[in-house]
Amino acid sequence: MNAPLIRLNGITKKYGVGDAAFQALRGIDLTIARGDFVAVMGPSGSGKSTLMNLLGCLDTPTTGQYLYEDIAVEQLNADQRSLLRRHALGFIFQGFNLLARTSALENVELPMVYRNIPRQERHRLAKDALATVGLADKFANTPAELSGGQQQRVAIARAIVTSPSTLFADEPTGNLDSKTTIEIMEFLVRLNAERGITILLVTHEDDVAAYARRTILVRDGLIATDHAKP
Amino acid sequence: MIGNAFHIALREIRRNVMRAFLTVLGVIIGVAAVITMVTLGQGTTQAVKNQISSLGSNLVMLRPGMGFGPRSSSAGVPNFTVADVTALRDQIHGIAAIVPVSSTSLSTIYRQNARSTSITGTAPAYFGINNWKLARGRLFDETDLRDGSAVCVIGDTTKTELFGTEDPLGKLIRIGKTASSSSSSTTTTKETPYSSTFQVIGVLAAKGQSGMGNQDDTIIVPLSALQHRLTGRTSARNISQIALSAEEGANSERLVADITSLMRSRRNLHANEDNNFNVFDTRQIAETLSASTKMMTTLLAAVAGVSLLVGGIGIMNIMLVSVTERTREIGIRLAIGARAREVLLQFLVEAITLSCVGGLVGILLAFGLCVLLARLIDVPFLFDPKINLIAFFFSAAIGVLFGFTPARRAARLDPIEALRHE
């Protein structure tokens, strides 16, 4: 792996002002290589969610530098960050965050709508993505008609249909039973291995983090430990 | 992108048809009310114009009386004379035709049928001045007038009432004797000393019901026949009305002024006395009436416009609720790369789609209402594409105006906050 995909340099994040101010991140330096599979762990309030929001370009740091590929993310405005997310990033969430009362197919098509991909092309790509996650026969179902594991797989299909370079997974198995958790995690491992998608995973379960190649522990706004599997 | 936002908007409306209907009900009612008011107003104006022109388009009428309207009085006011008619004809420019008119209400009998009818004695030019068309038979002429022939021309209602389905032409009717005591400022009711038999020589085409009463319930006879055979020639002042038609293109205001000043001097009125006669110019009446119905229409349309505005507030209300309900959806869209302006566009298009659908439904409703109400209040239904288009674009503008605030609120949401929203 050549140039790193992500470089964080002295990132801090402060919420609020004056006495009520809260220092969520106190100076993070982090480099993530292209194609890596990183788990971010930490107790609640540690700053791991703030870190993930920054990495996912949903938020901007108070100070510090964030280079995604060669783009200085901290200098982008909201619309520019939207475009970066649209073209380079994919997201899956603990609560799945699918559009309710909307078919699996339409959910998967959603990111392509904003990419102005023509309708037929969208249909084709969305069906391919649903087939990849093993839901080829469920494309007409709405989230209410799918199990939790199936919903998360629709969300994964939505995240990967645009072939992002990085996939952000925020507690993706938090709402799932252990059997489904294993299914989803094994699928993420395969995506990472077969497609070279960089995966950033937030979790507080050790056995979920164990699927990652590298585990970062955040505590009190700083990186406490950073272990890579040999 | 707009096509897609439109697609999403239609799907949102389909998802909750009842709510969408209630949301746009205000716009539907507003659009329907504006169009209905304007359309019926135009129909009423047209109906008034039709009625006036059925009287005769260049008709000017002189009647004795002080002032007019409810406080008018004809008591003690002298009638006109035939000499007044001659003087007007000879001295005033711009008169095409002029006739004396003497009206009274008498009983008429044909076999077992008897009824009280308005009897008008006049000259042949009366028919042209008052825009009467002959349906059957003939009108009386100057010879009949000179000879005082006992002939009459009857209106459509009188024909039906007296003769039913029988052919009235050539039939004899008895007029007079048992005088009815109808009292009105326009008919001079007297004890009738005579009765006489008249032959029906013509039937007039119906003018239809008008604001002036049923004009078709009438019998018209030569003035000389009325005076000699029915009312008696009690005095020279027995002309209750003078009717004249202005020449084409004549200045009607000038004509009315000339007539007024001549009649004042002929009736020996001093400069400080009020007129004891009225001059009605149908063209002026028509203009006044259509101006006032137009103003009424504008006023009603403005009131209806306010309800359209209130309808817009209804849309804004529901769109604000919708933005709150769909905060999570907005968060998802922002996270996967929608820009603020795309979220704004989506909600704006949704509001516009709602209000346009409301506008279209309102137009359909207005069409039905107009057809129904026009029949009910008996005015012509004049479909006006202009007001329909205006109302539709106004409803679209309402969507933009009241959809913008909720849409901007949606677009300004922070993706992290929005995703966390329950």
Side-chain angles (χ1 to χ4, degrees), chain A residues 53 58-59 79 82-83 85-86 91 93 97-102 106 110-111 113-114 119 122 158, chain B residues 1 4 7 11 15 328-329 332-342 346 414-416 419-420:
Chain A
N53 287 338
L58 292 164
D59 209 346
D79 278 354
S82 278
L83 291 178
R85 291 198 297 274
R86 180 186 299 183
F91 291 89
F93 306 92
N97 278 341
L98 299 174
L99 295 189
R101 292 171 298 176
T102 305
E106 281 180 281
L110 194 62
V113 168
Y114 292 106
R119 183 177 290 260
R122 282 202 319 249
R158 182 179 68 188
Chain B
M1 194 59 223
N4 219 291
H7 183 73
R11 201 175 55 194
R15 258 184 202 157
R328 212 181 168 82
E329 174 195 325
I332 297 167
R333 289 176 185 275
L334 288 168
I336 63 170
R339 278 173 294 179
R341 72 184 79 145
E342 285 154 337
Q346 183 195 330
D414 174 59
I416 299 166
L419 278 173
R420 221 175 274 156

Side-chain angles (χ1 to χ4, degrees), chain B residues 197-264:
Chain B
T197 303
F198 283 73
Q199 186 180 33
V200 178
I201 56 168
V203 179
L204 297 170
K207 278 189 179 183
Q209 196 76 29
S210 82
M212 324 287 166
N214 185 357
Q215 300 180 77
D216 293 325
D217 190 6
T218 188
I219 296 179
I220 300 166
V221 301
L223 178 64
S224 48
L226 180 79
Q227 289 173 337
H228 294 145
R229 296 169 190 275
L230 296 173
T231 60
R233 195 176 198 138
T234 46
S235 83
R237 290 207 170 271
N238 53 9
I239 305 302
S240 57
Q241 188 188 333
I242 297 172
L244 62 93
S245 58
E247 275 175 0
E248 207 59 55
N251 179 339
S252 65
E253 274 174 48
R254 167 93 181 279
L255 184 63
V256 168
D258 287 351
I259 291 169
T260 307
S261 93
L262 177 61
M263 289 308 291
R264 280 182 70 86

Side-chain angles (χ1 to χ4, degrees), chain B residues 408-422:
Chain B
R408 199 180 49 178
R409 177 174 288 191
R412 284 184 175 176
L413 285 174
D414 174 59
I416 299 166
E417 294 289 325
L419 278 173
R420 221 175 274 156
H421 189 269
E422 290 304 318

Side-chain angles (χ1 to χ4, degrees), chain B residues 106-107 109 174-180 191-196 230:
Chain B
L106 293 171
S107 82
I109 302 166
R174 189 105 189 132
I175 302 179
K177 203 77 176 175
T178 49
S180 76
E191 274 307 302
T192 313
Y194 310 106
S195 76
S196 191
L230 296 173

